[in-house]
Amino acid sequence: MIAQRRICCCLKRVLASQWQFGPRRFSSASINDLVIHHKRIGLPVSRPKRSLRLDPGEVFTNSELRLSDMEVIGFDYDYTLAPYTRELEHTIFNMIIEGLVSTRHYPSAISDLKYDPDWLARGIHYDITSGVFMKVDAYHRIQSESVYQCFRKVPEEELLDRYPGKRLFFSPAGHSSRFRQIVDIFQLPELYAWCSVLNYLQSTKNVPHPVLVYEDIANVTRDLHVHGTLHAHIMRNIGRYLEPNPKLGEMLEMLRNEKKQLFILTNSPYEFVNVGMKHMLGNKWRSQFDVVICLSQKPKFFEDKYRVFRRLTRRNTPAFGEVKELKEGEVYCEGNVRDLHRLTGWDPCQILYFGDQMYADLAEPILNQGWHTGAIIRELENEIDLLNSEKYQKNMHVLKELNYLIREVQRLLPDPTAVKYTEQWCIERKQVRTELRTLHVSPFCSTFRTHLMPTLFYRRLSRFAEIYTSNLANLVNYNPSHFRFTPVRQDLPHEM
């Protein structure tokens, strides 16, 4: 029944995209034809007759993937197997602020700063030399409506002065000493602390260089992880910080019943993983997995061919001696991907690995190791809620119609009348875009798209993840013995 409902949902979406939302095509439109069509856009009859609703529990497809071909399925831990609550972000923010005051001698007044979980989002770029946060599309173009220095919106003139051409320049891999991207959920409270502290210091006229504050916060955050302070706090309060995930055990059991081999590959220490997995699956959670690897130091795990595996003792210390096989029931640390293939005999082309961090978890496996990859993108839940709202669907329908009219009328230039309508419809389009922006909670709006283009975040997602979903447990709705993830065919610009 679940499969039938999903097939019906997909068919409805395809039909809706072709007939309900798609603009009417004119083989040889005159200006009068376009004007008449424009008048109809705002009428109730031109709105979608059937609500186009997305399923928040769906697994979305970038590239065709057949589950029956995947003999081995692996998982990261943080934000993949373990979905943390938003309260954890507040806690990390408060711990960072406390560390700045106690170890870096920042003004005690910053202790009153509060965390706003809706301000920043993954995919946002930031300039460490100025404290400017910006949204960037797939072609590295800065989106003028979504540029802030701390909490101050940067005006167009200042934006052009800071970044000529409104473009960011860095390597194809996204590396830059000046510009960084928020790719990890753990970064959100860290970067919001930087934003908040900079904003406070600017209000007191005591303004150190943004890089200095950035490095102080990075060092305090690193100490929370390296010294184990954060992990210890989470373990003591595991019920507060781990989201209930009742379908996780059912999903793992389903995969085991289909004779899939399962493994965990995480950068977190075993004692931390053990507490979380016991909370979610019970004391016998390790029986669900064939191999457990902690402290893997991804992406180094995929790049360094000479880091050997070490078996952990019951005291969580590395045992003496060479690891000659990876046994079920044991826990290992460090290692490298080449030895993982050698010691298990797994075929890289039959491995499907899920993670939440595109660069550390997914990029290297899919680009250079032959693995298949799936991304866990928490932000999809709020995004889909918005896409399903009536106000969003109405405005998006009007926006698509206006985009079509603006494209079509260009064929009639340089007719002065065509110029007049082009300008008029561009103004209307801007108004609709503004209305769509107000529907988002974050000032940076959608994580996945700009007005016309995907964001750089989504472009990387589509390259590094063959499938993606909001929660790992959503896989329980897909039969691993025969389900084939198939992407929707997208018309290229020259095919439309």
Side-chain angles (χ1 to χ4, degrees), residues 11-34:
L11 289 173
K12 289 177 183 177
R13 189 180 311 154
V14 171
L15 291 173
S17 64
Q18 291 178 343
W19 302 112
Q20 293 176 0
F21 278 0
R24 178 186 170 194
R25 303 299 180 186
F26 297 95
S27 58
S28 57
S30 67
I31 287 183
N32 188 55
D33 292 328
L34 298 176

Side-chain angles (χ1 to χ4, degrees), residues 153-430:
K153 193 174 188 309
V154 176
E156 183 79 10
E157 302 77 18
E158 182 182 340
L159 176 62
L160 286 168
D161 185 55
R162 286 180 179 274
Y163 311 108
K166 296 195 293 187
R167 294 176 73 97
L168 294 190
F169 298 95
F170 38 72
S171 70
H175 301 308
S176 169
S177 59
R178 178 181 176 186
F179 301 108
R180 314 285 172 86
Q181 187 183 24
I182 305 176
V183 294
D184 194 318
I185 296 176
F186 281 120
Q187 288 180 278
L188 294 175
E190 177 184 353
L191 272 302
Y192 191 83
W194 183 45
C195 187
S196 300
V197 171
L198 270 181
N199 188 64
Y200 169 80
L201 294 175
Q202 288 170 356
S203 69
T204 64
K205 309 302 181 184
N206 178 20
V207 189
H209 196 284
V211 174
L212 185 149
V213 181
Y214 176 81
E215 290 179 347
D216 282 346
I217 290 177
N219 289 330
V220 168
T221 306
R222 182 197 61 207
D223 290 344
L224 291 176
H225 290 275
V226 172
H227 297 160
T229 309
L230 178 61
H231 285 164
H233 180 80
I234 294 173
M235 287 190 288
R236 288 194 301 269
N237 303 275
I238 195 67
R240 284 173 53 192
Y241 297 126
L242 266 187
E243 292 273 12
N245 205 10
K247 291 187 177 181
L248 178 62
E250 181 184 348
M251 184 271 294
L252 294 173
E253 189 66 30
M254 178 186 72
L255 296 175
R256 296 287 290 184
N257 291 338
E258 291 295 331
K259 310 301 180 185
K260 306 295 184 184
Q261 293 187 282
L262 308 182
F263 71 98
I264 294 177
L265 178 65
T266 175
N267 290 350
S268 294
Y270 173 70
E271 59 268 29
F272 178 67
V273 174
N274 186 40
V275 171
M277 294 300 289
K278 280 184 177 180
H279 178 77
M280 292 186 290
L281 299 177
N283 292 336
K284 296 183 179 180
W285 68 268
R286 277 165 53 180
S287 64
Q288 297 276 34
F289 298 92
D290 298 274
V291 176
V292 176
I293 304 168
C294 299
L295 297 173
S296 63
Q297 299 182 38
K298 295 173 294 181
K300 187 182 292 186
F301 180 88
F302 300 108
E303 299 167 345
D304 189 339
K305 299 178 181 179
Y306 303 104
R307 295 172 64 251
V308 298
F309 279 106
R310 298 179 182 274
R311 182 178 62 84
L312 288 181
T313 67
R314 292 184 178 181
R315 296 182 178 181
N316 292 325
T317 57
F320 175 77
E322 180 183 356
V323 174
K324 296 184 178 180
E325 60 177 322
L326 300 180
K327 299 179 180 179
E328 184 177 348
E330 300 285 359
V331 178
Y332 301 90
C333 65
E334 301 181 20
N336 66 83
V337 70
R338 184 180 64 175
D339 282 349
L340 177 65
H341 297 158
R342 178 176 62 83
L343 295 173
T344 60
W346 292 342
D347 182 349
C349 296
Q350 295 180 331
I351 298 176
L352 171 60
Y353 182 68
F354 287 91
D356 70 292
Q357 219 272 35
M358 288 190 295
Y359 295 101
D361 293 336
L362 306 179
E364 183 67 21
I366 193 172
L367 296 180
N368 296 316
Q369 303 302 332
W371 291 16
H372 299 273
T373 53
I376 305 303
I377 307 296
R378 182 185 70 177
E379 294 83 353
L380 276 171
E381 293 182 358
N382 290 336
E383 186 88 4
I384 289 174
D385 284 344
L386 176 63
L387 296 180
N388 284 337
S389 69
E390 182 179 351
K391 185 174 288 188
Y392 180 90
Q393 291 196 17
K394 170 191 169 183
N395 279 284
M396 184 52 62
H397 171 67
V398 173
L399 182 62
K400 288 182 177 181
E401 296 284 355
L402 287 170
N403 281 335
Y404 165 70
L405 291 171
I406 291 168
R407 287 197 309 270
E408 191 71 16
V409 80
Q410 306 299 310
R411 297 187 303 99
L412 305 173
L413 295 175
D415 186 324
T417 310
V419 174
K420 180 187 73 172
Y421 284 115
T422 301
E423 293 174 350
Q424 174 189 334
W425 294 337
C426 282
I427 292 172
E428 291 183 29
R429 183 177 66 174
K430 185 175 181 179

